[in-house]
């Protein structure tokens, strides 16, 4: 890839909420077994062919593929096979928080599987990795604070859909979540047409 220098802004295609085969529901549908068999290399090349620049790897309560994707990316950088283009990986996790709300935690490129496991321990997640139904023992504001303390940013996932902030919480509980100083952004799905 040739590095370009430009003045001013540049648009980036960034998928902040991407699952891998580490998530139980990855590829849900008639092709699920085929998609769950994808390798880290194939997964990365799929994103490259789609023209995506950056990916937040946010599996359900798991960072299992973070290190695997980084290793595959290092190999692809050396080989530069057909379809290759640089792809920036941002390690993360989609945490199922007490109350059923899903929260994305996104970290800088240096994050590892171990960092994700440490965060899951800090928020009191003891459920199955990859599953989305087990929840943390800590509340939504507490989990947001733990994400920030670990150096990440917290983004409530699909706030307008099932397990979203707006569909799971109301009244004072919703207000407490929205007023949390560690809240950086919201993922809205339905309004994004």
């Amino acid at each position: 890839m040739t590095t370009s220098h430009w003045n001013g802004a540049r648009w980036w295609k960034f998928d902040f909420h991407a699952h891998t085969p580490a998530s139980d529901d990855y590829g849900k549908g008639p092709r699920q077994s085929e998609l769950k068999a994808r390798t880290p290399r194939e997964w990365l090349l799929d994103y490259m062919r789609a023209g995506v620049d950056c990916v937040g790897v946010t599996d359900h309560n798991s960072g299992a593929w973070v290190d695997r994707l980084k290793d595959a990316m290092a190999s692809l950088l050396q080989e530069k096979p057909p379809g290759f283009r640089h792809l920036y990986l941002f390690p993360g996790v989609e945490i199922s928080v007490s109350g059923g709300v899903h929260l994305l935690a996104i970290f800088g490129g240096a994050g590892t599987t171990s960092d994700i496991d440490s965060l899951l321990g800090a928020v009191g997640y003891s459920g199955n990795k990859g599953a989305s139904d087990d929840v943390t023992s800590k509340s939504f504001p507490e989990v947001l604070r733990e994400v920030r303390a670990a150096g990440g940013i917290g983004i409530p996932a699909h706030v307008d859909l099932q397990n979203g902030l707006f569909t799971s919480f109301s009244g004072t509980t919703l207000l407490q979540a929205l007023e949390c100083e560690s809240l950086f952004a919201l993922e809205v799905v339905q309004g994004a047409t």
Side-chain angles (χ1 to χ4, degrees):
M1 178 175 133
T2 304
T3 303
S4 298
H5 299 283
W6 61 89
N7 292 324
R10 176 176 173 206
W11 289 98
W12 295 81
K13 284 186 176 179
F14 196 133
D15 184 347
F16 281 94
H17 190 163
H19 295 307
T20 74
S23 288
D24 290 351
D25 63 354
Y26 180 75
K28 192 182 333 182
R31 295 181 51 219
Q32 186 171 24
S33 59
E34 173 191 340
L35 292 170
K36 293 271 290 177
R38 305 288 289 163
T39 66
R41 176 188 176 94
E42 292 168 330
W43 189 93
L44 290 167
L45 286 168
D46 287 344
Y47 270 94
M48 291 174 187
R49 283 189 286 271
V52 175
D53 299 303
C54 310
V55 178
V57 181
T58 54
D59 282 307
H60 289 293
N61 304 300
S62 174
W65 265 50
V66 168
D67 292 348
R68 293 178 69 189
L69 287 170
K70 286 180 162 195
D71 291 345
M73 184 56 135
S75 294
L76 287 169
L77 280 167
Q78 294 295 316
E79 298 169 29
K80 294 189 173 75
F84 175 83
R85 64 190 300 273
H86 196 78
L87 179 66
Y88 296 91
L89 297 176
F90 289 82
V93 60
E94 182 176 5
I95 303 170
S96 299
V97 179
S98 179
V101 173
H102 290 187
L103 174 72
L104 303 175
I106 310 275
F107 296 90
T112 64
T113 295
S114 179
D115 295 328
I116 302 302
D117 287 342
S118 294
L119 174 63
L120 290 170
V123 299
Y125 183 80
S126 59
N128 293 320
K129 301 277 177 85
S132 63
D133 294 337
D134 299 328
V135 298
T136 65
S137 61
K138 291 194 175 182
S139 70
F140 187 83
E142 291 171 321
V143 172
L144 271 174
R145 284 191 285 277
E146 290 290 348
V147 170
R148 188 172 184 182
I153 61 169
I155 304 172
H158 41 78
V159 295
D160 51 342
L161 298 177
Q162 182 179 356
N163 299 112
L165 190 63
F166 298 155
T167 60
S168 298
F169 290 167
S170 62
T172 305
T173 305
L174 177 59
L175 186 60
Q176 286 175 337
L178 292 173
E179 289 179 342
C180 186
E181 66 183 33
S182 298
L183 184 65
F184 286 94
L186 303 171
E187 178 191 30
V188 178
V189 178
Q190 294 296 333
T193 56

